[in-house]
Amino acid sequence: MTDAARPRFPIVLTVVAVLALALLLTLGVWQAQRLQWKLDLIARSEAAARQAPVPLESVLALEDPEFRQAIVTCRGLNTAPFVELQSIEDGDAGVRLISACPVEGRGIVLIDRGFVPDEVSDRPAVRADAAMPVVIAGVVRRAPEPNALTPPPSGKLFYGRDRTAMAQALGVTGMVSPYTVYATTSANPELTALRPVAPPAAFSNNHLGYALTWFGLAAVLVGFYAAVMVRRYRSS
């Protein structure tokens, strides 16, 4: 075969194939790393759920209090001011009632007192002069921050867990903890519509499937490129 008849090396095709292969492998490695992170998160949540509840002050002193069960003692929590957070629980639309509780050495901790369906208009009474200690159980979680698409609050109705704005709406000042306590027992047992419930510590874990998909596409790309090159040189 003369040099004139020899097919030219497909530079553009090769560059595109290499870039696409690098992208697919990068996505596959990223998903593999996410898989390890998710497995660690699941293990942490399961280990924390097995721990006995301890006072909130002790939980917040831990290096990683996420998912730990806590005993909360808060003065006047049953009659404390609250803001409402638009939410959905088990398919029901409604609001979560959020109050503030000062914790010595930890600033202000927001307490998610529970969920009230939209069809229920009853709310706990609010009395500024009440100071009786109220004890509840709860789960400590790092609440997700609102994103750019989250609507701004309307008065005391919120659409995202903006901790600073909630504290301001509740009239409290000082450092606000990044952790929220989700009540698992009610501060207001007389209000049966108020359902104290923490979000489930269950996580979707599809990262292995995603990683295999990206690596599989990378293998298909290599096979396709090899087939094109073999056909190109055989037909010349």
Side-chain angles (χ1 to χ4, degrees):
M1 179 185 297
T2 64
D3 290 341
R6 189 181 301 277
R8 296 177 59 186
F9 184 77
I11 297 178
V12 175
L13 174 63
T14 300
V15 169
V16 171
V18 168
L19 292 176
L21 179 63
L23 175 61
L24 292 172
L25 292 176
T26 298
L27 290 171
V29 170
W30 176 63
Q31 286 296 336
Q33 293 171 340
R34 293 278 294 175
L35 172 63
Q36 294 303 314
W37 167 79
K38 185 61 68 67
L39 291 174
D40 178 66
L41 188 64
I42 293 172
R44 282 170 45 211
S45 69
E46 291 176 346
R50 291 192 293 267
Q51 298 289 323
V54 296
L56 179 59
E57 295 83 353
S58 299
V59 173
L60 294 178
L62 298 173
E63 181 179 353
D64 183 14
E66 182 88 354
F67 305 115
R68 286 296 301 269
Q69 300 181 74
I71 299 171
V72 182
T73 302
C74 187
R75 290 189 176 276
L77 180 61
N78 59 330
T79 56
F82 56 85
V83 295
E84 299 186 356
L85 173 66
Q86 197 73 48
S87 184
I88 295 178
E89 184 66 34
D90 290 335
D92 293 334
V95 295
R96 284 181 170 269
L97 308 186
I98 316 294
S99 294
C101 182
V103 177
E104 185 175 357
R106 299 294 167 181
I108 303 300
V109 177
L110 295 180
I111 309 294
D112 187 318
R113 295 164 61 180
F115 175 83
V116 180
D118 274 345
E119 61 268 20
V120 177
S121 59
D122 291 343
R123 297 291 186 270
V126 175
R127 293 200 302 271
D129 59 342
M132 288 294 295
V134 176
V135 180
I136 62 167
V139 176
V140 175
R141 299 287 297 271
R142 186 182 286 273
E145 298 285 345
N147 56 44
L149 299 179
T150 303
S154 175
K156 291 193 174 183
L157 177 61
F158 284 73
Y159 301 93
R161 290 184 183 271
D162 188 331
R163 296 177 290 104
T164 302
M166 285 180 171
Q168 292 175 349
L170 291 168
V172 294
T173 57
M175 179 187 71
V176 182
S177 172
Y179 294 97
T180 293
V181 175
Y182 291 82
T184 53
T185 60
S186 182
N188 300 89
E190 75 284 354
L191 182 58
T192 57
L194 176 61
R195 308 199 310 247
V197 57
F203 310 94
S204 60
N205 189 12
N206 302 318
H207 300 294
L208 178 60
Y210 295 150
L212 293 176
T213 298
W214 293 123
F215 287 137
L217 289 174
V220 170
L221 175 63
V222 171
F224 173 78
Y225 178 80
V228 169
M229 294 298 291
V230 168
R231 181 177 180 182
R232 183 183 183 90
Y233 283 94
R234 279 183 176 176
S235 61
S236 59

